[in-house]
Amino acid sequence: IPEYTVNEKRIQDFCEKNGLIFINKNPQTHAELQSVFNEIDIGIVFFEKESIKAGVYERTLKYKPNTKLTNFQSFGIPTVCLPYESYKQFGNDQCLFVENFEDLKTNILSLINDSQMFYNMSKNSIKVAEKYHISKIVDYYHKIVEDFRE
C-alpha cells in the first residue's frame, strides 16, 4: 500500500514484473482493514522525496505517526518503509527502511527470496505490536487517570 499514488504505477509495474500482486486499497472500517491485511504479504509505506513539495518530505519523516506500521505489524506483515522517526522509535527494527525506489525494490526482493527473513520479521513484528494493543493502551490511560486523581 504505497503512501502516495505518484509512486503507485512504478511500484505496481515492479511487483507485476516480479510475479507479485499489487494491492492499493483505502479501508474505511476495521472489518475492511482486516480484510485488506489478510490479502497482503508485504506492507509498503513509501514516496519519493521529489514527488512532493520542498520541506514536506522532511516534516513528514519527523512527524508521521506510527499507526500504519503498527497495524501492519499486528498482522505480522513485514514492512518496507521510509525512515519515519516514529517508525524507528516504535518499530523495534522489525521493518526495512529505504531511502529511494532502488532500496525499495531491493528490500522487497529480499523479503520474497529469503523465506527465513520473511518469517522472522513476521513473527517478531507481531511481538512488537502486542505492546501497543488497545487493551494495554487502555490500562495505561486508566493508570494516568488514577495518578491524576491522587
Side-chain angles (χ1 to χ4, degrees), residues 22-74:
F22 177 82
I23 298 172
N24 184 9
K25 295 184 180 176
N26 187 20
Q28 300 299 311
T29 66
H30 188 265
E32 290 174 0
L33 179 72
Q34 283 183 302
S35 176
V36 170
F37 280 16
N38 285 328
E39 293 178 44
I40 61 177
D41 295 315
I42 298 172
I44 300 170
V45 184
F46 177 78
F47 64 91
E48 292 175 282
K49 185 176 183 176
E50 298 77 25
S51 70
I52 58 175
K53 295 178 185 176
V56 174
Y57 180 81
E58 289 76 15
R59 285 192 307 273
T60 302
L61 288 182
K62 188 172 182 180
Y63 297 113
K64 180 155 180 84
N66 65 304
T67 309
K68 192 174 284 186
L69 175 62
T70 302
N71 284 337
F72 281 135
Q73 289 181 325
S74 70

Side-chain angles (χ1 to χ4, degrees), residues 27-144:
Q28 300 299 311
T29 66
H30 188 265
E32 290 174 0
L33 179 72
Q34 283 183 302
S35 176
V36 170
F37 280 16
N38 285 328
E39 293 178 44
I40 61 177
D41 295 315
I42 298 172
I44 300 170
V45 184
F46 177 78
F47 64 91
E48 292 175 282
K49 185 176 183 176
E50 298 77 25
S51 70
I52 58 175
K53 295 178 185 176
V56 174
Y57 180 81
E58 289 76 15
R59 285 192 307 273
T60 302
L61 288 182
K62 188 172 182 180
Y63 297 113
K64 180 155 180 84
N66 65 304
T67 309
K68 192 174 284 186
L69 175 62
T70 302
N71 284 337
F72 281 135
Q73 289 181 325
S74 70
F75 280 80
I77 299 170
T79 305
V80 181
C81 56
L82 289 168
Y84 296 119
E85 290 300 320
S86 65
Y87 285 27
K88 289 189 244 179
Q89 182 179 355
F90 294 99
N92 288 35
D93 298 323
Q94 292 307 312
C95 53
L96 299 173
F97 293 117
V98 298
E99 295 287 340
N100 55 53
F101 190 66
E102 290 305 312
D103 289 350
L104 178 76
K105 295 188 303 185
T106 298
N107 281 284
I108 290 171
L109 290 175
S110 293
L111 282 169
I112 64 173
N113 291 321
D114 186 340
S115 60
Q116 192 63 47
M117 176 186 186
F118 184 95
Y119 172 77
N120 288 337
M121 188 172 282
S122 178
K123 180 178 73 170
N124 293 332
S125 290
I126 292 170
K127 289 178 186 174
V128 169
E130 285 174 354
K131 292 188 292 188
Y132 309 108
H133 189 273
I134 189 67
S135 63
K136 292 184 179 168
I137 301 300
V138 166
D139 290 343
Y140 176 72
Y141 281 115
H142 283 254
K143 183 175 178 353
I144 290 172

